[in-house]
Amino acid sequence: MAVQLDVKFTGLRFDNPFLLASAPPTESEGNIMRAFDAGWGGVVTKTIGLHPVVNVAGPKTKFLRATPDSPHLSMEKRAGTALHSSWNWELISDKPLDWWVPRIARIKRAYPSRVLVASIMAGSGSDEELGHWQTLAQECQGAGADALELNLSCPHMDRKDMGSNIGKDEAQISIVTQAVKAVARVPVWAKLTPSTTDIVVEARGAFLGGADAVSSSNTFPSLPLIDATTLEFELNVDGLVSSGGLGGPAILPQSVAKIAQMTQAFPDKAFSGIGGISEFSHALNYFLLGCGTVQVCTAAMLDHAIGPNVVQALMAGMRRAMEQRDWTSLEDFRGLRRDRVVAHSRIRRPDAAGYHGGYDGAEGYAATEQPADATKS
Ligand SMILES: Cc1cc2nc3c(=O)[nH]c(=O)nc-3n(C[C@H](O)[C@H](O)[C@H](O)COP(=O)(O)O)c2cc1C
């Protein structure tokens, strides 16, 4: 039987489950159209807000690279290195809503069957701010956006009522999601921050607020490294740095762990997996744990800005894996390994009787022998 790459996710049909994540690859009309031409099943716009945004002086993103067979890590560009991670302190789109609205409309007119998701963000400290979320939602869906992704996860916001600052608060997540759902005619996805103690709590907040899906993860809070020669941070402005976000290969296992927690807690809910994906074997982790789509940022940034080779390789890898195993659609393997992540105590030990989950043994066990000299005097 022929393999089918197309998927249904939150009621929308995608040509394939590979999306460009909200970030520089999706910051312009030209990029988004090129991305659809390249084959991406969907695109999430760079986050759109109502307030003007001014980025830092100097680079907003850099890439940390590892030297094979050496512990050396540096952002310095050099031959023969492997990508470790991306680091960014870029804010949301510096283009206002009225710049985006006609562009969303034009993109949808040119690509009516492709899925365009508008990423939006506002504050949450007042009814007026909740109204801003609603304005953003209504304008973007009015222009033709197929879905909305709520940015509850940007790790470098000064405002306490924005981005990952509210993404750590389940009540705020619920309130914002509810406010958007009250006006939304299209599916609403909540993009969560990985920077919390138990992401299941925040996911519950999103679903209680009516979210149709959770996207995870945004970048992990981190700093650039200090150069041992200059004693300066490898990325700084006037010697100063601030917490930014880590993406790329380094976060793949961590993002996968976050997804596993949530898909186990909410096996019937929809999840879009993000973090460290650059080839199909990476994406497969997210699918096997229950995700219905995945999103890519860092790998696409490094491949002609929008990832034409990355998406072609993702599709070819998916097709190959499905043919090898006689899978016909994503539903044949989605969630197949979700139940393999268990409590530590369920992992087999050579001496099961001797393991008490980190507690003292049950009463009646022989007392531990005292060392010979401890019994003296
Ligand atoms: C330079 C840069 C800018 C980003 N801007 C946004 C943004 O505006 N909105 C958002 O939701 N995520 C933003 N992200 C996060 C990405 O969408 C993605 O969640 C993250 O990079 C992890 O995916 P990756 O490992 O494939 O890079 C940005 C990431 C980078 C590197």
Side-chain angles (χ1 to χ4, degrees), residues 21-24 46-47 60-61 86 88 90-93 119 149 151 153 191 217-219 247-248 251 274-277 295-299 301:
S22 175
K46 175 79 188 160
T47 300
K60 294 171 286 182
T61 316
S86 60
N88 88 89
E90 177 175 280
L91 298 171
I92 63 173
S93 175
S119 168
E149 187 177 81
N151 183 338
S153 47
K191 183 167 176 180
S217 282
N218 206 312
T219 47
I251 71 165
I274 319 174
I277 298 170
Q295 303 183 27
V296 178
C297 167
T298 299
M301 286 174 75

Side-chain angles (χ1 to χ4, degrees), residues 122-125 130 133 150-153 160-181 188-196 198-215 262:
S124 61
L130 292 177
W133 281 100
L150 313 184
N151 183 338
L152 303 162
S153 47
K160 292 286 170 254
D161 66 337
M162 272 191 172
S164 63
N165 294 331
I166 57 170
K168 292 168 187 154
D169 181 331
E170 62 180 304
Q172 289 295 324
I173 292 173
S174 258
I175 290 167
V176 167
T177 311
Q178 258 179 312
V180 174
K181 281 295 285 186
V188 175
W189 307 356
K191 183 167 176 180
L192 297 184
T193 173
S195 170
T196 74
D198 179 5
I199 198 165
V200 169
V201 172
E202 287 80 33
R204 183 174 297 115
F207 290 130
L208 284 175
D212 299 283
V214 159
S215 310
M262 291 186 286

Side-chain angles (χ1 to χ4, degrees), residues 26-294:
T26 66
E27 71 188 355
S28 71
E29 179 183 3
N31 271 12
I32 294 173
M33 294 211 190
R34 279 175 56 219
F36 283 140
D37 287 338
W40 290 100
V43 167
V44 186
T45 67
K46 175 79 188 160
T47 300
I48 306 166
L50 281 185
H51 299 290
V53 156
V54 181
N55 275 297
V56 295
K60 294 171 286 182
T61 316
K62 273 205 166 186
F63 301 94
L64 188 63
R65 296 175 194 281
T67 308
D69 302 325
S70 138
H72 188 54
L73 292 174
S74 170
M75 284 178 171
E76 188 195 336
K77 262 197 179 162
R78 55 214 197 278
T81 52
L83 181 68
H84 172 277
S85 52
S86 60
W87 187 86
N88 88 89
W89 51 0
E90 177 175 280
L91 298 171
I92 63 173
S93 175
D94 52 10
K95 308 286 193 314
L97 177 62
D98 57 7
W99 183 92
W100 274 101
V101 165
R103 285 166 177 82
I104 290 173
R106 277 204 295 269
I107 296 165
K108 277 307 296 181
R109 267 198 303 277
Y111 297 87
S113 66
R114 299 303 186 89
V115 179
L116 182 60
V117 182
S119 168
I120 57 173
M121 181 202 264
S124 61
S126 64
D127 284 351
E128 191 190 350
E129 288 289 350
L130 292 177
H132 290 164
W133 281 100
Q134 294 183 321
T135 303
L136 290 161
Q138 284 168 311
E139 294 279 328
C140 292
Q141 74 184 4
D146 299 290
L148 301 164
E149 187 177 81
L150 313 184
N151 183 338
L152 303 162
S153 47
C154 179
H156 28 261
M157 305 300 300
D158 280 324
R159 279 182 59 158
K160 292 286 170 254
D161 66 337
M162 272 191 172
S164 63
N165 294 331
I166 57 170
K168 292 168 187 154
D169 181 331
E170 62 180 304
Q172 289 295 324
I173 292 173
S174 258
I175 290 167
V176 167
T177 311
Q178 258 179 312
V180 174
K181 281 295 285 186
V183 298
R185 286 182 281 100
V186 296
V188 175
W189 307 356
K191 183 167 176 180
L192 297 184
T193 173
S195 170
T196 74
T197 312
D198 179 5
I199 198 165
V200 169
V201 172
E202 287 80 33
R204 183 174 297 115
F207 290 130
L208 284 175
D212 299 283
V214 159
S215 310
S216 175
S217 282
N218 206 312
T219 47
F220 285 67
S222 62
L223 288 176
L225 298 180
I226 296 173
D227 181 302
T229 312
T230 63
L231 302 189
E232 297 291 347
F233 287 96
E234 284 201 298
L235 186 50
N236 69 75
V237 173
D238 307 328
L240 300 179
V241 73
S242 180
S243 180
L246 195 78
I251 71 165
L252 174 64
Q254 301 182 71
S255 301
V256 161
K258 295 284 175 189
I259 280 291
Q261 280 180 275
M262 291 186 286
T263 56
Q264 282 200 337
F266 307 103
D268 300 326
K269 297 290 189 187
F271 290 92
S272 189
I274 319 174
I277 298 170
S278 55
E279 62 171 34
F280 181 70
S281 68
H282 305 155
L284 183 60
N285 281 268
Y286 289 95
F287 295 139
L288 290 174
L289 289 168
C291 290
T293 58
V294 292

